[in-house]
Amino acid sequence: MSDTHIYRVQPDWKREASIDNETYLSWYERSISDPDGFWGEHGKRLDWFKPYTKVKNASFEGDVSIKWFEDGELNVSYNCIDRHLEKRGNQVAIIWEGDDPSSHRKITYRELHEQVSRYANVLKAQGAKKGDRITIYMPMIVETAYAMLACTRIGAVHSVVFGGFSPDALAGRIVDCQSEIIITADEGLRGGRKVPLKVNTDKAIDIAARQSMSVRKVLVVRHTGGAVDWVPGRDLWLNDEAKAASPDCPAEPMNAEDPLFILYTSGSTGKPKGVLHTTGGYLVHVSLSHQHIFDYHDGDIYWCTADVGWVTGHSYILYGPLANGATTLMFEGVPNYPDNSRFWQVVDKHKVNIFYTAPTAIRALMGAGDEWVKKSKRTSLRILGSVGEPINPEAWEWYYNVVGEGRCPVIDTWWQTENGGILIAPMPGATDLKPGSATRPFFGVVPKLIDNDGNVIEGEGSGNLCIAQPWPGMMRTVHGDHARFIETYFSQYPGNYFTGDGCRRDADGYYWITGRVDDVLNVSGHRMGTAEIESALVAHEKVSEAAVVGYPHDVKGQGIYCYVTLNEGETGDDALRKELVAHVRKEIGPIAAPDKIQFAPALPKTRSAKIMRRILRKIAEDDFSSLGDTSTLADPSVVDDLIANRQNRH
Ligand code: 6R9
C-alpha cells in the first residue's frame, strides 16, 4: 500500500460470518455487474407481505426515476418489530439513557410492539391516514421511536424536525409538507438544560397559520412535567391517549415505493429541501449496511450517539438496527454532562459493543484530556464508528489508540441524508484502515470522480464526487418538487448523482473525502446552507447585505463566518454583533449561530454583481497568499479593507 499509516485487519476483528476481504470483493463485484441478482437476493432479508418480482428499475438519465422492488409489499414497523417477536419478544430492543445519569429504561421488543401499536391507534383515531405527513418535533426519548414507528405502521409519512430548530424553521417544514398533525413533548432535556418544545410548537403553529396552514392536532408527550399552554380540542396528552388505545393494530401493507419519510436538509441554494425516502429499498440498504459495516452480531449492544432529528438517527439508531433485531441505545444527553467522561460511563454501564459517533465529539473529548477516558474500562467495545464530517487523522488516531486502546477498528462512514444509508466505509473483518479515509464503497455503490470541466478521473486523483449508478436506499425526489431534485443532483454531471463533496482516490482505490465543494457548511456535523444564514441575516432591519462562508475550527470542523454590510447610518459594534447572533438563533436555531461577524462596507463583487466567495473564504481562513485573480472585481480595493478588518487576527 502506498500510504504510511495503515492499520491491517487484526485477526480477532474477523468473527464468524463477518465479511472478509475476498467476500467483500466478490459481493461488491456482483453488486455492480448484476444488481438485479445481488439485491434480489439481499432483499429477502426482509419479510414481504407480497414478494417482489422486479428488482431494479432506475435511471439517472432524463426524468430520473428510481424504483426498487416496485411490485413488492411490506411494512417497516412489521420488519422492525413484529417479525422479531417470536424469537426475541423478551430481548431489549431499546435501551434509553437519560440526560440525568441516574435515569435509564429498557424496552423489550414485546413492549415496543405494544406501545407502537397503541400510538398507531391514537394516530388513526385522530384521523391520520396512509400517505398523510406527520411532523415529529421531539427530544431523544423512547416515545420518539414509538411515534416514528407508529407512522410507518399506518403508512403515514413522518417528517422529524431536530429539536434544536427554532419555531420559524419548524413552521417552514410544517408548511412545506402540509402536515396537519404534530407530535411533540412538553420539554426536552440536554446537559441539564430544558428545551421548550411545546412552546416552540405553539409559536410554529401560529407562524404556519399566517401562511394558511392549519395544524389540527398536537399530540404531546409528558416528559419533564414542565408547565405548558394548552389549546383545548387541538392539544392532547399522547401518554393518556395511548394508555386508553387498543394495543392491537395490524401493520398496513405498503408498496415498496410508497413514501416512508421526509427529512429536510440544507443545500447550496434556497430553503431546505424535503428529501423523500421510500419503503423497500431504504430498509434493505440500512439493514444490510448496519449488519456488515458494523459487523453486527446477535446479542451485540449497539449505540449511535446521533439525534433522531438527523438521517443518522433515522437509519442507524432506529431502522437499520431494529430491522436486524438489535439492541439499540438512545441517549438523551450530551458528551460533556455531567462531565467529559459521560460517553465512556454509558459504554461501561450498558456494556456497549459497537459505538458510533461524530468527529466533532471526538475532537472535543480529545481536547478535554485522556484522563476522562481512562476513568472507564471500555472492555466491551469492539467497533468504533465515525460519521458526519471528515475525521482528521489526529482525531482518528486518538479514537483508535486512547478510546479503543488499539483493539477496535475505526469505521469512518461517508454518506448523506439523500443517500439513505452508508455509501463508503470499511468493514471490520475485510478492510485495512487508513486514518482519515472512508476507504472503499459499499455494495452497489459506484463512486466516480469528475473534474470541473466534466472529465472523468480514472485511478489516482481528485475531483467532485459523483455516484454513477442508482442504489436501493437513495432518495426518490424532493417532496413536491421533482424538478429541484433533478436540478440539484443531476444537472452538473448528467447521468451521475452529484454529492457536493470533493474527494481524492489514492493508488489503492481508497476514497478520502475532502469536504463540500458547494456553499454548504458542516458545523459540528450539522449541515447548513450559507444561503439560509444569509437570508436570516438580511431579514434583520439593520442589514443590507450578507455573505457567509466557513472557516476551519478546531472542534466544530467548520465555523460560521459572516460578512455583513449594514444599511446607511447604522454602526457595526459589539452590541449589534450580539443582536445579529441572537437573530440568527431565533430564525434558524442555535446550531446556526455565527461564530464571527465582520462588518464590511462592501463585499467583493464581479462586474456582473456576483459575490466572489472564493476571496471571502480565503480571508476567513487567514490565507491571503492565494487570493487569485482579483482583477475582475468591480472594485478591487474592497479586498484590502476586508483583510485589514478581518476577525481571525491572532
Ligand atoms: C450522514 C450525514 C452529509 C455531508 C456530506 C459530507 C459530510 C458525512 C462524512 C462526511 C467526510 C465522512 N460527511 N460523513 N465527510 N467523511 N465520514 O452526515 O448526512 O447531514 O446529510 O451530511 O456530511 O460533506 O456531504 P448529512
Side-chain angles (χ1 to χ4, degrees), residues 561-564 596-600 641-642 645-647:
Y561 195 116
C562 309
Y563 296 88
V564 172
K596 313 249 181 198
I597 293 179
Q598 173 170 355
F599 294 111
D641 178 272
L642 289 174
N645 293 304
R646 69 191 186 277
Q647 296 292 299

Side-chain angles (χ1 to χ4, degrees), residues 48-54 68-74 253-258 280:
W48 297 79
F49 294 147
K50 177 171 170 263
Y52 47 85
T53 64
K54 297 181 191 150
W68 288 84
F69 311 107
E70 63 185 296
D71 59 349
E73 285 180 9
L74 75 169
M254 303 296 288
N255 180 273
E257 284 303 333
D258 278 337

Side-chain angles (χ1 to χ4, degrees), residues 265 310-312 356 386-391 412-418 424 438 499-501 513-516 522 525-527:
T265 193
W310 308 115
V311 73
T312 306
Y356 188 28
S386 173
V387 62
E389 50 176 317
I391 178 164
D412 176 11
T413 65
W414 173 85
W415 59 296
Q416 314 173 292
T417 305
E418 294 88 337
I424 303 180
T499 65
D501 279 317
I513 310 295
T514 49
R516 301 288 303 200
N522 195 326
H526 297 154
R527 195 170 144 176

Side-chain angles (χ1 to χ4, degrees), residues 504-517:
R504 176 168 74 86
R505 181 167 44 221
D506 72 15
D508 299 312
Y510 274 42
Y511 291 87
W512 301 72
I513 310 295
T514 49
R516 301 288 303 200
V517 294

